[in-house]
Amino acid sequence: MMEVRQLTKHQEHVVKHVFGCQILGVYAQPEHLHFLLDIPYLWSVDADGSMALVQDEEAIAALDLPEDTRRALCEEAAALREQGPAATVRHFTPPPQAIGAIEDVTLYTVGDTTHMQVIGDADTLTGVWSGASIHLMT
């Protein structure tokens, strides 16, 4: 049975800032999804449902990754903003579908799994988390 969940005050605050943005790329880690937006910010969603919206370089610098990977992510973020989908990247992946400008974000649970729908003006992207893992549905 599906149950709609209310966003927390903090989630609401973060989500309001991503309205109108487009997702240029996704960097997935087992416990985190990082959405590269068309503004110089990384929107991070964790498997516990917490969210952050932090300027790219600061967000990437805080990731627990080798220095060369962090440097590559910064370079790829710049390339995706300058060249769009034509950019050559190894770490960021394109979203499974182009959703256009973000118009809404909803959360709902099915059993012990939480689904986050990022609703754009062209399509919807769904992230799913359960326990300590999070991923995008394709």
Side-chain angles (χ1 to χ4, degrees), residues 7 10-21 53 105:
L7 296 175
H10 181 75
Q11 288 170 330
E12 274 184 24
H13 180 78
V14 171
V15 163
K16 284 180 182 173
H17 288 290
V18 303
F19 287 171
C21 295
L53 185 64
V105 175

Side-chain angles (χ1 to χ4, degrees), residues 8-61:
T8 66
K9 289 280 186 205
H10 181 75
Q11 288 170 330
E12 274 184 24
H13 180 78
V14 171
V15 163
K16 284 180 182 173
H17 288 290
V18 303
F19 287 171
C21 295
Q22 294 198 27
I23 298 171
L24 302 179
V26 180
Y27 180 66
Q29 294 180 290
E31 297 179 9
H32 317 278
L33 286 175
H34 307 283
F35 299 99
L36 180 70
L37 302 176
D38 59 347
I39 58 173
Y41 282 80
L42 206 62
W43 175 29
S44 299
V45 180
D46 296 339
D48 65 5
S50 62
M51 296 180 187
L53 185 64
V54 179
Q55 198 163 22
D56 287 5
E57 291 180 9
E58 184 180 337
I60 292 168

Side-chain angles (χ1 to χ4, degrees), residues 60-133:
I60 292 168
L63 296 177
D64 185 19
L65 295 170
E67 178 57 36
D68 59 332
T69 304
R70 288 196 303 265
R71 188 172 33 256
L73 284 168
C74 284
E75 291 168 1
E76 290 179 15
L80 281 165
R81 286 216 180 81
E82 292 168 13
Q83 304 166 27
T88 302
V89 294
R90 287 188 23 235
H91 298 87
F92 280 106
T93 58
Q97 63 269 10
I99 65 167
I102 297 170
E103 295 184 333
D104 201 4
V105 175
T106 61
L107 292 178
Y108 63 93
T109 55
V110 178
D112 64 351
T113 305
T114 300
H115 296 244
M116 177 183 78
Q117 289 191 314
V118 182
I119 301 159
D121 61 7
D123 206 341
T124 300
L125 186 65
T126 303
V128 178
W129 62 84
S130 178
S133 72

